[in-house]
Amino acid sequence: MTSYRTNFRCPWCEVQHELTTHAFGKGLPTRGDYSLCFSCGEWAVVTGSGKNLRKPTDNELVKVVTTPEFRLAREAWIQMDLMRKLTKTAFGQYK
């Protein structure tokens, strides 16, 4: 996987992301590509300009929940987030 500099803002949690990594391809993100936010775990879609993200439409959400690769990516994020929270709790940083 290769990371690329971007300036995406998650439309769900508003976190600014400076890098993006293609899980299923190569090159910069383009219109219609899906993006999983590392902070909140929600899916977004790259806009026509390729420089912004938007919330998915209902049809796009159906694709997310019915595509095994999308489900696996979200499940991996859930496990990572749980480990992140457990680690912070263990060291007294998470409430």
Side-chain angles (χ1 to χ4, degrees):
M1 288 191 284
T2 303
S3 294
Y4 300 92
R5 286 221 167 267
T6 57
N7 200 21
F8 286 155
R9 181 178 302 277
C10 176
W12 298 98
C13 70
E14 298 293 319
V15 167
Q16 191 79 26
H17 296 284
E18 296 176 359
L19 294 173
T20 188
T21 302
H22 252 288
F24 310 115
K26 295 181 180 179
L28 290 169
T30 59
R31 179 183 182 179
D33 284 350
Y34 289 78
S35 178
L36 182 65
C37 179
F38 187 76
S39 293
C40 71
E42 294 294 339
W43 287 99
V45 178
V46 178
T47 63
S49 67
K51 296 183 179 181
N52 295 305
L53 297 175
R54 62 172 172 77
K55 292 180 180 178
T57 64
D58 290 344
N59 287 338
E60 290 166 335
L61 285 174
V62 168
K63 181 178 180 180
V64 165
V65 299
T66 59
T67 303
E69 291 84 1
F70 288 133
R71 289 197 322 263
L72 286 171
R74 183 75 198 295
E75 289 171 14
W77 181 88
I78 289 169
Q79 290 185 14
M80 181 274 314
D81 189 55
L82 177 61
M83 292 303 295
R84 181 170 48 183
K85 288 176 181 174
L86 289 172
T87 301
K88 288 180 180 180
T89 300
F91 293 100
Q93 300 171 0
Y94 189 81
K95 305 245 182 212

